[in-house]
């Protein structure tokens, strides 16, 4: 956390450096140089305590203790007492603090005692309190062998020298219940074993400890969607993890420590079965372009070179049942090595391409076509039908820094970059320095576009083009394409390059979207005779629109698409065994089931 000077805790140089790099206005350090009354009241209510310390080589380690409220409490005079079951054999923090003591032994620390740090946390109320101080005394009690368990009761007393309340962001609620652990060592070697990799893939929280030159420490959590911590490398040459630093309270105490002392200890708990992964390693803070180059859409990230690890089966004295997920969680951000995308090409280019709105057409009350001119096609890249374009709206819609935004919590980690399927075609006459999208008004960014007046000259950064959803036709085969509403857009872009007599379009939509179908058939009259339209809400549609639709010659079914429809089409002798789908998740899931015996190529919109 920080130094204490003259009864007041000042920022140390690492924290000040991070705050300066990230343009944080000056603020006093809110950390108290003692165990505050609020922190003392919270301690007996928390069922979990993450505890960190340093080994003899100065490397941080972290553990996670507890199981039920009451195991940790204030003993008065800024002293904290802990009494809980521990794994005395494999837990690195317990081994360090109790120095290999046996049952009944007490380890007293009076002079130059070990620095420790902690985070008391209640994952139901999302309450947290950070603590730092020094170990006073520790003792091991009797070992429990009930039901095959192999755990020992430990008592640890800490002199608290710093405390700070913390916010509830990025914490997914979990109901914690105690259990008797039966620890079994799986591995102490690198690379990480398969079981540890699986744990990291599903983990939505871990706890991290860091120090400032070994003089003081801090422990905190990092949470988010399951799998937010990514594995960059795990082989016999290296094990490297990367995780994003989300928008927080901007104190940067953990990152400040890592700035001066780039080492971290991490514990990753498995709340389902009690497995636990202990890690320690060297860290690198990535800011701006460095972060985005490795973890796209991140402005701040941490790279951890794992140097030592321990994976233990059933080493925790608790289990956790997942409840409500944090509304502040952004989507998982994948490494560039996991998801190659032309969208991030500009991270390595000083020039920026812009998209300027030059035309807007409303096809229905909620669907519109927007055309943009591209300021620098060389920087943006050349688009192809079947790709998507990524546009950045931060300058237009960003609300500036906000630590908590309960009216719209998801916007806090919204980078306001949106990906839209290109609906224009080269052969359809769209110039190389223009691009067109056809979109539905469904959210903050699309609503903003629908409100725009072309004469206002809206111009936004164009991040690039990516995607490879290309439709291939082979001789004497009819290609089936299933579109859900606006999912017709990638097909529209490729229609000029296809033989429309060998396309079978199965198009589901609400009757409010009939205007999109009419517009499509007016552009490509031959397509209508190859189309079966499945309309929901037909009774509510205007008769005039339905009549206009019928004049184009499409087959109109005033009901939802059913499995029998797909089975019937599959049975046609000239139908290709490769199906193309662009639909929402629910329809796509049904189609994949109905087409389990076919090759399916689909666009998911999960950019």
């Amino acid at each position: 956390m920080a130094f204490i000077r003259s009864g007041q805790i000042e920022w140390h140089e690492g924290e000040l450096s991070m705050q300066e790099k990230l343009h944080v206005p000056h603020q006093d350090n809110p950390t108290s140089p003692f165990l505050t009354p609020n922190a003392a009241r919270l301690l007996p209510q928390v069922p979990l305590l993450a505890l960190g310390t340093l080994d003899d080589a100065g490397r941080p380690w972290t553990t996670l203790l507890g199981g039920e409220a009451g195991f940790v409490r204030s003993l008065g005079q800024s002293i904290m007492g802990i009494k809980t079951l521990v794994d005395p054999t494999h837990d690195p923090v317990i081994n360090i603090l109790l120095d290999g003591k046996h049952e009944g032994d007490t380890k007293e620390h009076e002079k130059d005692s070990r620095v420790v740090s902690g985070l008391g946390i209640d994952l139901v109320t999302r309450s947290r309190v950070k603590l730092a101080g020094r170990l006073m005394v520790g003792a091991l009690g009797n070992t429990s062998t009930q039901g095959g368990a192999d755990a020992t009761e430990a008592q640890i007393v800490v002199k608290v020298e710093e405390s700070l309340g913390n916010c509830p962001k990025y914490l997914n609620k979990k109901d914690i219940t105690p259990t008797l652990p039966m620890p079994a060592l799986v591995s102490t070697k690198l690379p990480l074993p398969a079981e540890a990799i699986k744990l990291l893939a599903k983990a939505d929280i871990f706890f991290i400890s860091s120090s400032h030159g070994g003089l003081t420490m801090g422990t905190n959590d990092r949470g988010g969607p399951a799998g937010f911590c990514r594995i960059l490398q795990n082989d016999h040459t290296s094990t490297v993890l990367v995780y994003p630093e989300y928008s927080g309270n901007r104190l940067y105490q953990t990152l400040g420590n890592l700035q001066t002392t780039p080492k971290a200890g991490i514990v990753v708990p498995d709340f389902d079965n009690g497995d636990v992964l202990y890690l320690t390693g060297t860290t690198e803070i990535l800011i701006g372009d460095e972060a985005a180059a490795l973890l796209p859409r991140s402005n701040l990230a941490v790279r951890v070179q794992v140097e030592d690890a321990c994976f233990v089966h059933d080493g925790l004295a608790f289990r956790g049942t997942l409840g409500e997920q944090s509304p502040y969680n952004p989507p998982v951000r994948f490494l560039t090595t996991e998801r190659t995308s032309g969208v991030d090409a500009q991270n390595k280019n000083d020039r920026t391409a812009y998209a300027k709105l030059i035309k807007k057409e409303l096809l229905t009350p909620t669907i519109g076509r927007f055309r943009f001119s591209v300021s620098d096609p060389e920087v943006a890249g050349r688009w192809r039908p079947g790709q998507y374009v990524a546009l950045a709206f931060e300058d237009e819609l960003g609300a500036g820094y906000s630590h908590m935004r309960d009216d719209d919590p998801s916007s806090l980690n919204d980078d306001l970059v949106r990906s839209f399927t290109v609906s224009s075609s080269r052969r359809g006459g769209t110039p190389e320095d223009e691009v067109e999208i056809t979109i539905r008004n469904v959210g903050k960014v699309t609503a903003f576009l629908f409100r725009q007046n072309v004469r206002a000259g809206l111009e936004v950064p164009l991040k690039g083009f990516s995607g490879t959803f290309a439709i291939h036709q082979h001789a004497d085969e009819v290609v089936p394409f299933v579109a859900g509403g606006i999912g017709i857009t990638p097909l529209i872009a490729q229609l000029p390059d296809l033989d429309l007599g060998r396309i079978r379009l199965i198009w589901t939509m609400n009757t409010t979207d009939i205007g999109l179908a009419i517009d499509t058939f007016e552009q490509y009259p031959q397509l209508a005779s190859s189309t079966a339209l499945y309309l929901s809400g037909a009774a509510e549609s205007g008769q005039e629109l339905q009549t206009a639709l019928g004049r184009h010659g499409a087959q109109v079914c005033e009901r939802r698409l059913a499995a029998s429809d797909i089975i019937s089409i599959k049975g046609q002798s000239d139908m290709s065994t490769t199906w193309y789908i662009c639909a929402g998740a629910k329809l796509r899931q049904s189609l994949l089931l109905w087409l389990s015996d076919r090759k399916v190529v689909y666009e998911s919109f999960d950019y």
Side-chain angles (χ1 to χ4, degrees):
M1 292 161 78
F3 285 125
I4 304 176
R5 296 173 182 150
S6 304
Q8 180 182 355
I9 297 182
E10 304 287 347
W11 300 115
H12 65 63
E13 62 268 29
E15 294 164 331
L16 290 172
S17 174
M18 286 304 305
Q19 292 168 11
E20 181 179 356
K21 288 179 179 180
L22 296 167
H23 309 289
V24 178
H26 175 73
Q27 58 183 320
D28 292 334
N29 192 334
T31 306
S32 299
F34 52 85
L35 183 64
T36 66
N38 283 338
R41 282 194 294 270
L42 180 61
L43 283 179
Q45 301 173 30
V46 300
L48 296 175
L49 176 73
L51 195 65
T53 194
L54 305 177
D55 63 17
D56 291 338
R59 303 181 306 175
W61 290 92
T62 311
T63 188
L64 189 58
L65 306 175
E68 58 184 338
F71 81 98
V72 56
R73 59 192 179 94
S74 169
L75 303 179
Q77 301 298 312
S78 288
I79 297 174
M80 174 179 70
I82 305 166
K83 184 178 181 180
T84 187
L85 288 178
V86 300
D87 173 5
T89 305
H90 310 110
D91 187 325
V93 172
I94 296 302
N95 272 292
I96 294 167
L97 294 181
L98 301 185
D99 200 18
K101 294 301 174 185
H102 302 289
E103 292 181 19
D105 288 347
T106 299
K107 179 72 175 180
E108 294 190 14
H109 298 259
E110 296 177 356
K111 194 174 181 180
D112 299 324
S113 56
R114 287 193 182 274
V115 292
V116 295
S117 56
L119 180 77
I121 188 166
D122 184 343
L123 288 172
V124 172
T125 64
R126 295 183 171 128
S127 302
R128 298 185 292 179
V129 58
K130 288 179 66 179
L131 309 158
R134 295 185 176 269
L135 178 67
M136 295 179 67
V137 63
L140 287 175
N142 296 324
T143 298
S144 172
T145 57
Q146 179 183 346
D150 182 17
T152 301
E153 184 180 83
Q155 295 189 55
I156 299 171
V157 180
V158 174
K159 176 66 174 178
V160 177
E161 298 172 346
E162 302 178 36
S163 66
L164 174 67
N166 244 357
C167 77
K169 287 169 64 178
Y170 315 120
L171 291 180
N172 301 317
K173 287 188 175 182
K174 289 183 177 68
D175 185 22
I176 303 299
T177 54
T179 188
L180 287 173
M182 292 186 288
L185 180 65
V186 176
S187 174
T188 57
K189 297 179 180 179
L190 296 175
L192 297 175
E195 298 96 323
I197 298 300
K198 290 180 181 178
L199 172 55
L200 285 166
K202 73 175 186 177
D204 62 5
I205 190 171
F206 65 77
F207 299 86
I208 180 170
S209 296
S210 57
S211 82
H212 173 55
L215 301 174
T216 184
M217 289 191 70
T219 295
N220 212 332
D221 69 275
R222 291 296 182 265
F228 75 98
C229 181
R230 310 307 297 168
I231 301 167
L232 179 63
Q233 186 175 355
N234 185 51
D235 54 35
H236 291 287
T237 64
S238 188
T239 296
V240 182
L241 308 181
V242 179
Y243 69 88
E245 284 281 344
Y246 298 139
S247 169
N249 55 20
R250 302 214 293 184
L251 301 182
Y252 298 117
Q253 293 176 318
T254 298
L255 294 184
N257 285 345
L258 299 183
Q259 181 78 6
T260 64
T261 314
K263 294 182 179 296
I266 291 173
V267 62
V268 187
D270 191 326
F271 291 92
D272 296 328
N273 57 24
D275 291 355
V276 57
L277 175 62
Y278 304 101
L279 305 166
T280 190
T282 300
T283 61
E284 179 185 6
I285 301 170
L286 307 174
I287 302 175
D289 290 346
E290 281 190 325
L294 187 59
L295 201 62
R297 302 189 181 184
S298 297
N299 187 54
L300 192 59
V302 175
R303 183 180 186 273
V304 183
Q305 176 78 49
V306 180
E307 296 171 348
D308 205 352
C310 178
F311 185 70
V312 180
H313 175 65
D314 197 4
L316 300 175
F318 56 84
R319 300 290 186 269
T321 303
L322 181 63
E324 178 191 45
Q325 297 200 34
S326 171
Y328 289 92
N329 287 341
V332 173
R333 298 170 184 173
F334 295 93
L335 297 165
T336 50
T337 53
E338 297 176 289
R339 183 171 290 184
T340 302
S341 171
V343 168
D344 302 295
Q346 288 191 47
N347 288 332
K348 301 176 183 179
N349 198 319
D350 293 335
R351 291 156 60 190
T352 300
Y354 288 88
K356 182 178 180 180
L357 181 63
I358 59 174
K359 188 177 181 180
K360 180 177 79 169
E361 298 174 81
L362 296 184
L363 307 179
T364 78
T366 61
I367 294 177
R369 184 161 51 230
F370 298 80
R371 179 169 290 207
F372 296 86
S373 62
V374 180
S375 66
D376 194 335
E378 182 181 346
V379 172
R382 306 291 176 176
W383 58 267
R384 300 188 306 274
Q387 290 191 306
Y388 63 83
V389 58
L391 303 175
F393 293 84
E394 172 65 28
D395 293 342
E396 304 295 332
L397 296 174
Y401 174 77
S402 177
H403 174 47
M404 301 286 282
R405 199 177 296 157
D406 290 329
D407 60 327
D408 185 14
S410 63
S411 68
L412 215 63
N413 274 291
D414 186 351
D415 54 16
L416 294 170
V417 174
R418 293 294 187 270
S419 300
F420 303 106
T421 302
V422 173
S423 59
S424 48
S425 168
R426 295 288 189 206
R427 290 184 61 184
T430 306
E432 288 192 358
D433 61 350
E434 294 181 8
V435 65
E436 199 168 74
I437 60 175
T438 304
I439 60 175
R440 186 187 300 280
N441 187 352
V442 292
K444 182 177 183 179
V445 169
T446 51
F448 171 75
L449 282 174
F450 271 73
R451 291 194 303 267
Q452 289 302 303
N453 187 316
V454 173
R455 290 177 295 180
L458 173 69
E459 198 170 43
V460 297
L462 193 159
K463 306 294 286 183
F465 300 94
S466 192
T468 56
F469 189 56
I471 300 167
H472 301 285
Q473 283 183 319
H474 302 288
D476 303 323
E477 280 189 341
V478 175
V479 175
F481 188 102
V482 185
I486 198 70
I488 192 69
T489 50
L491 177 62
I492 291 175
Q494 298 177 66
L495 285 175
D497 301 308
L498 299 173
D499 179 355
L500 300 190
R502 293 192 293 114
I503 288 287
R504 181 70 163 123
L505 174 59
I506 303 100
W507 195 356
T508 71
M509 65 171 57
N510 192 281
T511 53
T512 56
D513 295 339
I514 286 178
L516 174 61
I518 293 174
D519 178 81
T520 303
F521 295 148
E522 286 177 349
Q523 291 187 70
Y524 304 98
Q526 286 181 274
L527 182 64
S529 60
S530 302
T531 300
L533 268 173
Y534 293 84
L535 301 178
S536 58
E540 302 172 7
S541 65
Q543 188 61 44
E544 185 177 341
L545 281 176
Q546 289 218 48
T547 301
L549 188 59
R551 284 198 298 267
H552 285 282
Q555 176 190 349
V556 178
C557 305
E558 297 185 9
R559 59 176 175 82
R560 295 184 182 277
L561 179 67
S564 58
D565 300 311
I566 298 298
I567 293 170
S568 175
I569 297 170
K570 281 198 303 183
Q572 298 174 14
S573 60
D574 58 350
M575 197 62 56
S576 172
T577 57
T578 300
W579 285 60
Y580 294 86
I581 297 174
C582 189
K586 188 174 181 180
L587 176 57
R588 185 173 69 246
Q589 185 177 9
S590 296
L591 288 166
L592 291 174
L593 180 64
W594 300 339
L595 295 168
S596 58
D597 58 344
R598 295 290 189 270
K599 178 183 177 182
V600 177
V601 180
Y602 64 87
E603 184 73 279
S604 68
F605 300 116
D606 298 332
Y607 307 128

